[in-house]
Amino acid sequence: MIDFELVDLARGLVRDRFPHLRAAWLGGSFVSETATPTSDLDLTVLLPGPPAPYRESLRYEGYPVEVFVQTEQSLSHFCDKGLETRRPTMIRLVGESIILADHDGTGASWQRRCLDWLRTGPEPLSQAEVDARRYRITDLLDDLRGAQDQDRIGMIGSGLLESSADLLLSGSKRWVGGGKALVTELERMDKETGSRWLDDLLGATRSAWTGDPGPIAKVSEQILDQFGGPLFEGFRAEARIPTAYS
């Protein structure tokens, strides 16, 4: 249940610190109702111009707060970056939010725009992108087969968790993430499709850290098989060298 006292606190913060704001949104775990005792308030504030853009961590009336202060140009940049990388951090912070202030309509319009992106999903992977992910997982599986000690098996297993989940999600035209955001995206997929990928991947990775490579190898191979199987021979990736070094 959303804590509306915290919503009022967030509204007071943006009113006190940003008197010339255009819009502000409260997003993150307090809105998705996944907050823990150590969670901070995630605020995005839209200003007409400088001193934005910047990010600031602070405490307000005892609560930890992360403030992402944007202009329309910088907000567009970070949303475009999220679309490109399939990691919609800023898009979720604005789209899945409570509007705290909206002085010129941009609060509602940006929220609608971000929600549309979230519902549509990212662009499908190109074949080259699929192949690069297949190669990465194949390479990790080869490393896993040769690993002799528990620590290396655990580390490779963690790499397979992230790489396999990335292929599974992005290859299914879904959003991806890192750390706890990856768990959230897998949870969303499992809830919507009735799958058990999160439990399978996490359980297999735990086994890897005990020195048992079998479960994570099996789950990773199952995901690989959905997208063409292992890839090593014949894989080629063109190098892109910055102009300054060419």
Side-chain angles (χ1 to χ4, degrees):
M1 183 175 180
I2 293 175
D3 186 337
F4 286 98
E5 289 186 4
L6 287 179
V7 176
D8 289 340
L9 181 145
R11 188 171 283 116
L13 185 157
V14 298
R15 182 181 60 245
D16 293 345
R17 291 179 63 95
F18 304 100
H20 304 298
L21 62 78
R22 297 178 62 191
W25 305 266
L26 170 63
S29 58
F30 280 97
V31 176
S32 63
E33 301 183 41
T34 59
T36 70
T38 60
S39 293
D40 49 34
L41 294 174
D42 292 304
L43 305 181
T44 306
V45 176
L46 183 66
L47 298 185
Y54 67 91
R55 172 179 177 173
E56 182 179 5
S57 301
L58 56 95
R59 285 190 179 271
Y60 184 80
E61 297 188 12
Y63 285 92
V65 183
E66 290 278 3
V67 187
F68 303 89
V69 186
Q70 308 280 14
T71 63
E72 280 216 81
Q73 183 179 14
S74 67
L75 184 55
S76 294
H77 166 76
F78 288 112
C79 288
D80 287 345
K81 185 176 179 181
L83 293 170
E84 179 184 352
T85 62
R86 300 177 177 84
R87 297 190 175 208
T89 304
M90 184 55 62
I91 297 172
R92 285 206 188 282
L93 285 176
V94 174
E96 298 173 345
S97 70
I98 294 172
I99 298 175
L100 300 173
D102 188 1
H103 295 327
D104 59 5
T106 51
S109 64
W110 267 102
Q111 186 185 61
R112 287 193 299 271
R113 189 181 310 177
C114 290
L115 280 173
D116 285 343
W117 281 326
L118 291 172
R119 290 166 182 154
T120 301
E123 291 294 317
L125 292 177
S126 67
Q127 189 59 52
E129 290 173 319
V130 172
D131 288 348
R133 286 161 172 78
R134 290 169 58 204
Y135 174 81
R136 169 65 175 161
I137 296 168
T138 302
D139 190 48
L140 285 169
L141 285 169
D142 286 342
D143 288 344
L144 187 67
R145 294 183 187 101
Q148 299 295 316
D149 63 85
Q150 182 174 319
D151 290 340
R152 285 178 174 79
I153 291 170
M155 289 298 292
I156 297 166
S158 295
L160 279 167
L161 162 65
E162 294 187 4
S163 296
S164 298
D166 179 80
L167 175 58
L168 175 68
L169 290 164
S170 57
S172 303
K173 202 176 176 291
R174 303 185 71 92
W175 301 107
V176 298
K180 65 181 183 180
L182 181 60
V183 173
T184 299
E185 298 301 343
L186 286 168
E187 283 178 336
R188 291 173 187 267
M189 181 176 191
D190 285 343
K191 183 177 180 180
E192 293 171 14
T193 65
S195 56
R196 289 178 43 86
W197 289 114
L198 177 60
D199 287 345
D200 289 348
L201 283 163
L202 290 179
T205 306
R206 294 186 190 104
S207 295
W209 278 106
T210 69
D212 180 4
I216 191 63
K218 180 179 178 181
V219 178
S220 298
E221 288 165 353
Q222 288 173 342
I223 293 172
L224 264 182
D225 287 344
Q226 293 188 39
F227 300 96
L231 177 62
F232 183 80
E233 289 185 54
F235 175 72
R236 175 175 172 153
E238 300 294 335
R240 290 183 172 86
I241 306 299
T243 304
Y245 295 94
S246 60

